[in-house]
Amino acid sequence: MLKKRLPSKTSNYADLIESGMYYVDKTAFIQTLESISDKYLFFLRPRRFGKSLTISMLEHYYGVQYKEKFDALFGEYLIGSSGKGNKYRNSYYIFRLDFSGINTAVTGEIQEKFDFEVKRAILSFNTDYGVFTDHEMDIISSLSGSPEILKIFIEYFRKNVPGANIYLLIDEYDHFTNELFSFNTEHFKEIVTGNGWVRKFYEVIKMFMGQGVIDRFFATGVTPVTLDSMTSGFNVAKNITLSREFHTLTGFTEEEVISLINGTVYEEGAFIVDDVMNDLRLWYNGSRFSPDAEEKLYNPQMVINFLSEFSSRYENPREMADINVTSDYKKIANILGLLSAEDSGYIITEVLNNETITERLTFQFNFELPYGKQQAVSLLFYNGLLTIDSVKFNSYRFVIPNYVIKTMYWEYFRYLNETQSNIRYDNQKIDDAVIEMSETGSVDKLVQYVQSVMKQLSNRDIENFTEKSLKMIFMTLLTGTPAYYVKSETELQSGYADLVLRRTKINPGKHDFLIELKYIKQKELQKLDEVRESGLNQLKSYRAAFAVEEQKDLKAYLVIFFNRYDFELTEL
């Protein structure tokens, strides 16, 4: 089998194909798009999930300028090789807008930058098609206000190319408004509702849809917040985000990941594909965007980044979590920061302790109503920070999709501790504790460091302290290490173990860990013997639930904290 290069981070379809890179074939969805009656569509997915490449695929399939290159670009893929290419291929003038680069740092400059992007897209359009005179381009360049710019652009197009149709593609339609929503809600409302210029821009699009000049429309984004805010001004497009038939339009299925590995980096005898898939499944799989879909999706950028590192020596990279993704933990802060402390605390506690939360899903965001837990959980879902596990009537059970996202929540919780509780973490001591665990199987340094963290807690924190609080400290310290997979509340035959730590591929240590945690308030110290006995019995029961071959490498510890900061450590 002829191998191809791993795809780069390019979002240009032609560059990817012409450079001999592997393309996970999504062209079948062109037929699906053609089969439905709706021609104006919104499709939402989290960042780095392949939306821009999808836009580029549509551009190269439908653009009249690529007609002579059709076989080269699509010949080996389903839409080109099946003989089912339809009459719309290479039949549109593509007008493509990309709002992902608009900076919202200076509120007063946002409209100007939006106008600039529209003009830039028109210039690119004329470079491709050459349909405007220099005089017409000068007039467009002199205009201000995106609604007027768009209106004149399409009127010139209709005059110069009578009978032709535009396919309007918009990438990250909501990028700048999503950022505004998180830190300047009033300005967000001002520009997307009522007489706001964003709303008016889409009203112009709607007008030319009605006149048939804009014949098709496909826009990507992350959340429906902006879409919902301008619903009455732009109510002609269908949101296909939760549709089962478009669930795998972006992202990778398990079968696609295996094909990608076999088609690029696999060398017989170099590694076992199933072993690699076990790691990929844990770290990058788990996203489900349609309540009716059965298959969970892999984050494509995470998979490609991993394979790029893995392919050099067929070893897992030291950092399985892409720093560009994990640094997004502040997105959690933006979403939860709009809530009351009580509601924010409830969500983060549920997600961190149970890795699940049940709420209704908000399909339309009504700014006349208060922003609450339902809206926040929904935004976590749309941003890929939670995903659908199951649905009963209107009640959605959301879970953390994968281990990378899990580390983001713990990074956020650590950020809260540092900024709100003034807790200071010593990374070197944490690393020393993890190294000791790997080299000797001892958790002494880890527990001692937990004790030092507890000593930084305020009297109020200690008053409300529970076993869950203790577990959250351990998780905060351990989740960021690449040495162990850390699982909280692992379901075993006899109950739920507090902490299970399994070695990663880069960890040369001999032991995994099972840790049971107990916390006794000072006024309940007389229960210490009883709690110790109960904890050891639980630990024995949990350990017995592991396979015999696993037990020989499993270190089991009972950790009891009492009398505020003191602890007792017992190895089973």
Side-chain angles (χ1 to χ4, degrees), residues 3 260-273 314:
K3 302 288 184 183
L260 171 64
I261 293 172
N262 287 325
T264 56
V265 303
Y266 180 69
E267 295 292 341
E268 189 171 353
F271 62 92
I272 299 171
V273 174
Y314 303 122

Side-chain angles (χ1 to χ4, degrees), residues 42 95-99 111 114-115 117-119 121-122 145-151 153-154 168-170 173 176 191-192 194-209 214 217 230 233-234:
F42 276 96
F95 183 46
R96 178 174 175 175
L97 294 163
D98 182 354
F99 296 129
Q111 184 173 359
F114 189 95
D115 291 354
E117 168 53 28
V118 175
K119 289 181 181 179
I122 292 171
S146 54
E148 183 65 17
I149 295 168
L150 182 63
K151 183 178 179 182
F153 157 68
I154 295 189
L168 176 54
L169 298 170
I170 303 181
Y173 90 100
F176 67 100
I191 67 174
V192 301
N195 292 316
W197 53 268
V198 173
R199 182 189 176 105
K200 287 187 173 298
F201 176 76
Y202 282 93
E203 286 177 350
V204 173
I205 293 174
K206 178 181 176 181
M207 178 180 73
F208 285 110
M209 286 174 171
I214 299 177
F217 170 93
M230 57 193 190
F234 193 75

Side-chain angles (χ1 to χ4, degrees), residues 250-509:
T250 62
F252 293 163
T253 65
E254 178 123 341
E255 182 181 353
E256 287 170 340
V257 174
I258 293 172
S259 295
L260 171 64
I261 293 172
N262 287 325
T264 56
V265 303
Y266 180 69
E267 295 292 341
E268 189 171 353
F271 62 92
I272 299 171
V273 174
D274 285 348
D275 288 348
V276 174
M277 288 302 300
N278 286 336
D279 285 335
L280 294 181
R281 199 174 293 120
L282 173 67
W283 284 91
Y284 312 131
N285 190 24
S287 295
R288 190 153 73 103
F289 302 103
S290 169
D292 302 312
E294 295 181 0
E295 187 159 21
K296 295 177 180 179
L297 298 174
Y298 290 79
N299 181 297
Q301 181 168 318
M302 293 182 191
V303 169
I304 290 168
N305 286 347
F306 168 87
L307 291 176
S308 179
E309 293 284 333
F310 177 83
S311 61
S312 60
R313 295 191 299 174
Y314 303 122
E315 295 177 357
N316 285 11
R318 287 193 170 275
E319 297 296 335
M320 293 287 287
D322 182 354
I323 187 63
N324 292 317
V325 176
T326 54
S327 63
D328 273 355
Y329 73 87
K330 288 189 178 178
K331 188 167 289 178
I332 301 173
N334 291 338
I335 292 170
L336 299 185
L338 299 171
L339 294 171
S340 67
E342 180 182 359
D343 285 347
S344 174
Y346 169 79
I347 291 174
I348 201 65
T349 301
E350 282 291 301
V351 172
L352 290 181
N353 276 309
N354 305 318
E355 299 185 13
T356 180
I357 190 168
T358 300
E359 261 294 353
R360 288 191 171 191
L361 178 61
T362 298
F363 301 103
Q364 286 194 308
F365 287 78
N366 185 347
F367 287 98
E368 302 303 316
L369 299 175
Y371 178 87
K373 287 186 297 184
Q374 178 181 328
Q375 289 73 28
V377 170
S378 297
L379 285 180
L380 290 172
F381 161 71
Y382 287 115
N383 279 277
L385 301 166
L386 290 174
T387 201
I388 298 170
D389 180 65
S390 60
V391 184
K392 291 183 179 179
F393 305 113
N394 292 329
S395 182
Y396 283 68
R397 183 175 185 264
F398 296 101
V399 295
I400 300 175
N402 52 51
Y403 200 81
V404 171
I405 304 301
K406 182 178 179 178
T407 64
M408 288 176 61
Y409 279 100
W410 288 106
E411 283 287 335
Y412 169 66
F413 186 67
R414 178 168 173 162
Y415 162 78
L416 286 182
N417 285 341
E418 290 176 329
T419 57
Q420 296 182 8
S421 300
N422 204 32
I423 294 175
R424 294 293 172 259
Y425 294 94
D426 188 325
N427 289 329
Q428 187 57 58
K429 289 184 177 179
I430 297 170
D431 291 343
D432 287 344
V434 172
I435 290 170
E436 180 185 64
M437 292 169 65
S438 175
E439 292 181 347
T440 71
S442 169
V443 296
D444 288 7
K445 285 185 178 179
L446 175 66
V447 180
Q448 287 165 12
Y449 190 72
V450 170
Q451 180 188 44
S452 73
V453 172
M454 289 185 65
K455 287 180 178 179
Q456 298 180 56
L457 299 177
S458 67
N459 289 332
R460 181 178 178 183
D461 290 330
I462 289 295
E463 278 180 19
N464 300 317
F465 205 81
T466 65
E467 285 177 12
K468 286 187 175 182
S469 307
L470 180 61
K471 183 178 69 176
M472 290 175 80
I473 293 177
F474 273 87
M475 289 290 291
T476 305
L477 303 181
L478 291 169
T479 307
T481 175
Y484 295 96
Y485 304 119
V486 186
K487 177 67 175 174
S488 167
E489 296 295 317
T490 300
E491 185 174 2
L492 301 171
Q493 290 179 351
S494 53
Y496 295 86
D498 283 330
L499 294 175
V500 174
L501 283 69
R502 295 186 181 275
R503 287 159 289 169
T504 64
K505 290 281 185 13
I506 68 166
N507 186 345

Side-chain angles (χ1 to χ4, degrees), residues 170-189:
I170 303 181
D171 200 9
E172 302 291 357
Y173 90 100
D174 60 340
H175 172 77
F176 67 100
T177 46
N178 273 345
E179 290 197 6
L180 274 182
F181 173 74
S182 66
F183 68 82
N184 194 335
T185 309
E186 288 307 311
H187 188 62
F188 171 84
K189 292 180 185 177

